[in-house]
Amino acid sequence: MEDKEKLRKELERWEKGTLSRSVSRFPERKPAFETTSHIEIKRLYTPIDEAEQGYLERLGFPGEYPFTRGVHPTMYRGRFWTMRQYSGFATAEETNQRYKYLLQQGQTGLSVAFDLPTQIGYDSDHAMAAGEVGKVGVAIDTLADMETLFDGIPLGRVSTSMTINATAVILLAMYLAVAEKQGVGFKEVRGTIQNDILKEYVARGTHIFPPRPSMRIITDIFAFCKDQIPRWNTISISGYHMREAGCSAVQEVAFTLANAIAYVQAAVDAGLDVDDFAGRLSFFFNCHNNFLEEIAKFRAARRLWARIMKQRFGARKPASSMLRFHTQTAGSTLTLQQPDNNVVRVAFQALAAVLGGTQSLHTNSRDEALALPSEAAVRVALRTQQIIAHESGVADVIDPMAGSYAIEALTDEIEAGAAAYIDRIDAMGGAVKAVESGYMQREIGESAYQYQKSIEEKSSIIVGVNEFTVEEQPFKDTLRIDPEVEKRQRQKLKSVREARDTNRVKEKLEAVKRAAERTDNLVPPIIDAVRSYATVGEISDTLRSVFGSYQERT
């Protein structure tokens, strides 16, 4: 305390003397500086800004509670993060070739992007699927597509992340059925399903069923996987899409962890022991442009989640309190104008994710503001990660930004801001009720409005968009999906339907329906259904007939 008092006096002397003379001659660029979460950025941080809590309580050591400095004792000195490019387009054949190309280029994990019909439970020949087949991801209708998707890729030796939510249980079942056909046991497969339905109601929109039956499906997956697929991450609780919809960094942490609390509580209410499933929860965050704020955000999220799990849920195992996360650089920051600038943006965002301690990373490609990435663009995006890993030296030290007065102060502020939001959501009755009331949606909408306004008023400068613009020629060499893809996919689906045992399919779908009507775990009958080549649409329709469909608030 004595040192801090002395420092305060010295700081006051400096502000009135040296600083004041300088500012009078050279005024600062703005009257005030702040992060995207409207946290004030001070001119200078010193030991005065350090929290009263001690080092061990706030930071500790890597691999130990509260995990502020990382979830592994050696972090990237042991192994780099998983380089996992989110990828999928057209049919399973084209996407399989892209996966093989990325693995040959040094990618270390797979990440599947599904098209919209697959995400919302419609087969490629459904009227609702018209014009969308294979457009934003790969089209998967049956187990036959999944077999092609992973043809020549040994599922016992690669981890796979699948960005799928409302139909996650069906795609997980298909993945397991493919592993089975490859001779890989369920206990050997590694990977993640996103399976985060709450954020779909908030920000993304690819939901099918109302929130409560959706939560039942999620807890069924938790229960099944804890015994049958122990190396599988059963959920990837996502702030990414809420950030893309316009929320701030503080809101991203708050709403993600509030949703996570709802999932944990639902599983506990269903009779699961928190230490039996919490170690397989994973998270998914965005990495936006504000470099220092993003690094601090990841550290704050780890610490806050550790405290929630230990203090609120009484978690005993260290793994239950670890926040392990995947990061994707911010797609919403990519610009159509001067797309080469996107390479630079992505590099800084990726570096912030690594300095923040991510476990896996997707780097966006320079052309993603225009189309799905070309092979050349995705190679540069992957090379960005490889340069950070092998050339920059930042991976040689654990949590190298720790001890920075600014980073530690920002970490404290983001944690406090997110905790305050969670308190408000608790007072409403939790995340499910906050979603149903539209609270999160309104908060995100307001933040998005303020951000866009700041760009239009030029209080935020976006290089090449509202400043430093040039005359440009149309961008060439973007990836375009062949219109024939939809026709080919429908023909393939027709062939599968004609070749399968119709009576067996009907019997398996009836079993799914009976499980849905009762309280049986849904995963085993759905695995049986996909083995019979029941389609994504048929299984989804069976569940719709019991659970109904969610209607958006108007």
Side-chain angles (χ1 to χ4, degrees), residues 286-291 294 328-353 361-367 369 381 384 388 451 455 461-469 472:
N286 191 299
C287 200
H288 220 265
N289 277 339
N290 192 304
F291 190 71
E294 293 302 304
Q328 180 169 341
T329 56
S332 61
T333 66
L334 302 178
T335 64
L336 175 70
Q337 300 87 343
Q338 302 178 41
D340 285 348
N341 296 344
N342 294 330
V343 176
V344 183
R345 291 188 179 99
V346 167
F348 278 115
Q349 293 166 7
L351 181 59
L361 179 60
H362 165 100
T363 34
N364 288 324
S365 301
R366 62 192 280 268
D367 54 359
T384 302
I388 292 171
Y451 181 66
I455 293 172
I461 297 298
I462 306 298
V463 174
V465 176
N466 63 358
E467 196 63 272
F468 314 112
T469 57
E472 297 181 75

Side-chain angles (χ1 to χ4, degrees), residues 45-46 50 292 299 399-411:
Y45 290 85
T46 71
E50 288 184 327
L292 300 181
R299 302 173 84 247
D399 191 24
M401 299 297 279
S404 154
Y405 301 125
I407 288 291
E408 296 299 355
L410 277 172
T411 302

Side-chain angles (χ1 to χ4, degrees), residues 8 61 97 117 134 196 230 263 286 323 346 383 417-418 428 451 491:
R8 279 195 186 88
F61 291 98
Q97 291 306 307
D196 174 12
Y263 294 128
N286 191 299
L323 184 143
V346 167
R383 294 288 182 257
M428 295 174 196
Y451 181 66
Q491 184 56 49

Side-chain angles (χ1 to χ4, degrees), residues 424-439:
R424 287 198 285 278
I425 291 167
D426 280 345
M428 295 174 196
V432 175
K433 288 196 173 174
V435 168
E436 289 173 338
S437 72
Y439 170 72

Side-chain angles (χ1 to χ4, degrees), residues 4 9 94 186 197 225 389 402 418 448 511:
K4 283 197 175 183
K9 289 177 182 172
E94 282 99 332
F186 287 2
I197 200 66
C225 290

